[in-house]
Amino acid sequence: AIQLSWNYNYIRASYSLTGSAETFCQDPEQVASTPEYAWGSGIYFWMENQKDGTTCHKEALKGDFGGTLNNINGGLECPAYKGGWHADAIKMRLNRYCHAASQLGMAALLDLGGCKGMTESYEECLGDGHCPYCEQYANIATQNFTNIETESTVTEPEPNKPKEEPEERTWKPTTAPPSSALTPKPTPAFSLEPTPAPSSSAVTPEPTPVFSVTMADPSPTTKAPALTVTSIFPTIIATDPPSPSPSEAF
């Protein structure tokens, strides 16, 4: 785990890991005695602590070992003043880094340029014998991940290879569903012809009485012609009364 130093680092790590700024300030030994806080404080500092707009994690992704050191302890070691304790401390750090790189099978060391003066300290360390683990990398140039990615992705084009044309997309109309899928209901037929009258067998009207009128021949002795009425009812014949004789008149 990365050690914490200065109260402002304890306050930030405490708030990030415990939700309270007072936890590590009141009992800073928890960073060393509690495993989750020991690892947690290291992860917090590696991921969250910023200097010059970057973090240790971002510098590691770029492949700059010197940049990670500048974030952690750059104020004292980037550069390290000659003759001071930190001048020897940075040599110990470099020797341990070379040892770890060797154990991990790295073919070259990562870039040291992110920490000012670190390249000079590395050369001095090789010369005075303080970095025995770095001797195998003495004549190998350092690398960063940007260079490695560029070298691995640049390829020469194949000769006489036809240029691939983009696939042409054509629009096709949607196929209509089969007629069996949707069968419309028949529409009832309408007609403007008049409705036929019901047959005679359907409605039988009652018989209408039949009347007949017979006019009798006029008689010179009668004042009016006789009227004969014939019907289905009993026949009634009406006649004028007889005229009185001359003898009865007087």
Side-chain angles (χ1 to χ4, degrees):
I2 301 176
Q3 67 175 13
L4 294 179
S5 57
W6 308 105
N7 61 343
Y8 55 85
N9 284 326
Y10 276 90
I11 291 173
R12 294 171 183 171
S14 180
Y15 186 81
S16 178
L17 297 175
T18 70
S20 173
E22 301 297 328
T23 305
F24 292 168
C25 290
Q26 295 178 356
D27 188 9
E29 292 299 322
Q30 290 190 62
V31 175
S33 61
T34 307
E36 55 265 33
Y37 292 158
W39 285 102
S41 62
I43 295 172
Y44 156 77
F45 196 93
W46 182 267
M47 300 294 295
E48 298 294 334
N49 188 68
Q50 292 198 30
K51 181 179 180 180
D52 299 331
T54 186
T55 65
C56 293
H57 184 64
K58 291 179 180 179
E59 293 301 307
L61 292 178
K62 294 190 316 185
D64 192 339
F65 176 75
T68 64
L69 179 57
N70 183 55
N71 191 288
I72 296 171
N73 209 26
L76 297 175
E77 298 182 11
C78 300
Y81 293 100
K82 302 295 182 179
W85 182 86
H86 290 286
D88 293 335
I90 196 171
K91 292 180 180 180
M92 289 189 293
R93 192 186 301 277
L94 284 167
N95 191 51
R96 291 170 182 172
Y97 169 57
C98 291
H99 189 192
S102 176
Q103 294 297 313
L104 293 174
M106 294 178 60
L109 300 179
L110 295 181
D111 191 13
L112 307 177
C115 175
K116 186 177 180 180
M118 194 172 193
T119 301
E120 291 78 4
S121 297
Y122 173 68
E123 294 173 353
E124 184 179 335
C125 188
L126 286 173
D128 60 18
H130 283 83
C131 295
Y133 288 110
C134 296
E135 291 179 359
Q136 60 180 309
Y137 298 108
N139 298 319
I140 302 175
T142 59
Q143 290 183 328
N144 56 43
F145 293 150
T146 303
N147 294 338
I148 295 174
E149 181 179 358
T150 303
E151 293 174 2
S152 61
T153 55
V154 175
T155 56
E156 293 294 332
E158 298 181 8
N160 301 327
K161 183 177 180 181
K163 182 179 180 181
E164 296 182 0
E165 297 293 336
E167 182 181 356
E168 182 178 358
R169 298 183 179 180
T170 58
W171 177 84
K172 295 182 179 180
T174 305
T175 305
S179 57
S180 58
L182 299 175
T183 304
K185 296 182 180 180
T187 304
F190 293 94
S191 175
L192 298 178
E193 297 294 331
T195 304
S199 61
S200 59
S201 59
V203 180
T204 304
E206 296 182 0
T208 304
V210 179
F211 295 91
S212 63
V213 179
T214 303
M215 302 295 294
D217 295 336
S219 176
T221 59
T222 59
K223 297 180 177 179
L227 177 63
T228 302
V229 180
T230 305
S231 69
I232 61 174
F233 302 102
T235 304
I236 301 174
I237 301 175
T239 59
D240 294 334
S243 302
S245 61
S247 58
E248 292 177 356
F250 298 97

